[in-house]
Amino acid sequence: MQRRITLTQFLVSRQKEKSLINADLRLLIETIARACKGISTRVNKGALADGLGLAGSSNVQGEAQKKLDVLSNEILLEANEWGGNLAALASEEMDNPRPIPTHYPRGEYLLLFDPLDGSSNIDVNISVGTIFSVLRCPKLDSGAYCEPDEKAFLQPGTSQVAAGFAVYGPTTVFVLTVGDGAHGFTLDRETYTFVLTHPGILVPEDTQEFAINMSNMRRWEAPVKRYIDECLAGSDGARGKDFNMRWVASMVADVFRVLSRGGIFMYPRDAKNRDGRLRLMYEANPMALIVEQAGGAATDGRTRILDLQPQGLHQRVAVILGSKNEVDRVANYHK
Ligand code: F6P
């Protein structure tokens, strides 16, 4: 029987054999993965644990928070606050970054997360997930770490030292990059461990599948409209081949599909969402790093996502990612 590699074994090999991560980063990733298991269990219980519906509060973007948004945020905060490897945390669900309380040891990393992506899908039993990104806390000239305030987090996506996401779907899958490709782990519910099931994910360069919210079509900019019009014209149009469409409306599920069999995922800017809809720091940057590590590409139409200099923690951005040749085509239409 083939020996299965667990997430722990994978991380130890990245630390000891490849020297890609240090012990602190390894522990941090293990803690995040453990929190994801806890969230997975709660998502799975659904209505049985009174987990569905609104929490009665709203987040910094004015969106109504679901009970599971709030709970997932708490699970991630509680799991990560005391480990000694973080200087601060920032969450899509919190207005400001949270420095590690002074009664806990502080470490060198900054953690950002979207605790429950796609949460509008919870009540209708469609896949949701958690996305995270890890940065280093900048240092002062003296060599000491700087105050982990909002400014410390505003680093381009190229500075991420690790990124990943979990999808709570028919199976719970944890996708991770620490800089040597993108790898997927499936939660074995009998042993409660993540097992390496998708090593060295590669996104095919070409695709005939696109993902976009078509209801925004009348508000798109010309280059995106042109691209989708050509996909819809299929074999009768300029592309000379038919395209298929998928839209789960959970970025985690849509991106996992792109990683699994190729495709292009787009949430472009439009006349209503002039800066795009997705968040640069919690969604676009970690997903862009993972997709690039899997051989794909990610752009906002004009600039590679990972090169964007963030202006604010909750900044929104247009996202076009996936199979390289299609992403490049959309970028060329923007020129
Ligand atoms: O940002 C949250 C999110 O739910 C993403 O996961 C998803 O891709 C997108 O919003 C769905 O947007 P819409 O509701 O416009 O389809």
Side-chain angles (χ1 to χ4, degrees), residues 223-239:
V224 171
K225 192 154 187 332
R226 174 183 168 193
Y227 176 76
I228 296 296
D229 279 345
E230 287 179 0
C231 291
L232 294 176
S235 53
D236 300 332
R239 301 299 306 274

Side-chain angles (χ1 to χ4, degrees), residues 117-119 213 216 247 249-251 265 267 277-279 283:
D117 177 68
S119 55
N213 183 342
N216 296 323
W247 184 249
S250 273
M251 189 187 197
F265 167 92
Y267 214 121
R277 165 151 160 55
L278 303 176
R279 283 72 171 184
E283 296 171 309

Side-chain angles (χ1 to χ4, degrees), residues 44-306:
N44 225 247
K45 284 190 176 156
L48 295 175
D50 192 25
L52 306 186
L54 295 174
S57 49
S58 43
N59 66 14
V60 61
Q61 0 258 337
E63 298 162 334
Q65 288 175 309
K66 301 274 171 121
K67 286 183 191 165
L68 274 170
D69 279 325
V70 175
L71 185 71
S72 305
N73 196 52
E74 278 166 13
I75 290 176
L76 279 155
L77 287 179
E78 273 171 26
N80 283 291
E81 259 181 355
W82 49 270
N85 32 40
L86 285 176
L89 308 103
S91 162
E92 192 189 291
E93 298 300 336
M94 303 189 312
D95 295 8
N96 300 308
R98 178 182 296 207
I100 295 301
T102 44
H103 53 275
Y104 292 130
R106 273 197 188 175
E108 63 175 306
Y109 294 106
L110 303 172
L111 172 65
L112 298 106
F113 51 81
D114 176 356
L116 206 60
D117 177 68
S119 55
S120 65
N121 278 328
I122 298 170
D123 296 354
V124 290
N125 202 18
I126 292 175
S127 302
V128 289
T130 299
I131 311 175
F132 70 92
S133 160
V134 184
L135 296 164
R136 267 200 191 87
C137 189
K139 283 187 175 169
L140 302 167
D141 290 343
S142 64
Y145 289 110
C146 76
E147 188 50 33
D149 53 12
E150 172 164 359
K151 215 166 127 249
F153 281 86
L154 300 184
Q155 306 177 37
T158 47
S159 304
Q160 295 171 100
V161 292
F165 67 97
V167 192
Y168 312 120
T171 57
T172 287
V173 178
F174 186 80
V175 178
L176 173 72
T177 182
V178 291
D180 70 335
H183 309 276
F185 303 80
T186 302
L187 181 60
D188 179 338
R189 290 202 181 266
E190 278 156 32
T191 58
Y192 215 51
T193 47
F194 278 113
V195 174
L196 182 62
T197 45
H198 299 68
I201 297 171
L202 282 179
V203 179
E205 290 197 341
D206 292 299
T207 183
Q208 288 176 233
E209 193 162 72
F210 66 90
I212 196 164
N213 183 342
M214 291 287 289
S215 68
N216 296 323
M217 188 168 199
R218 69 185 190 285
R219 304 193 190 101
W220 292 338
E221 293 180 337
V224 171
K225 192 154 187 332
R226 174 183 168 193
Y227 176 76
I228 296 296
D229 279 345
E230 287 179 0
C231 291
L232 294 176
S235 53
D236 300 332
R239 301 299 306 274
K241 58 179 185 179
D242 290 335
F243 280 77
N244 189 17
M245 196 197 94
R246 288 284 182 271
W247 184 249
V248 182
S250 273
M251 189 187 197
V252 285
D254 280 313
V255 171
F256 190 69
R257 186 188 58 254
V258 167
L259 291 170
S260 303
R261 65 180 189 210
I264 181 166
F265 167 92
M266 307 170 81
Y267 214 121
R269 53 181 79 75
D270 61 42
K272 195 167 142 207
N273 302 297
R274 292 196 178 277
D275 298 321
R277 165 151 160 55
L278 303 176
R279 283 72 171 184
L280 175 61
M281 306 297 288
Y282 308 105
E283 296 171 309
N285 269 342
M287 290 307 204
L289 185 64
I290 292 161
V291 167
E292 282 201 6
Q293 285 287 320
T299 174
D300 73 349
R302 295 164 189 128
T303 309
R304 177 184 176 221
I305 299 269
L306 295 180

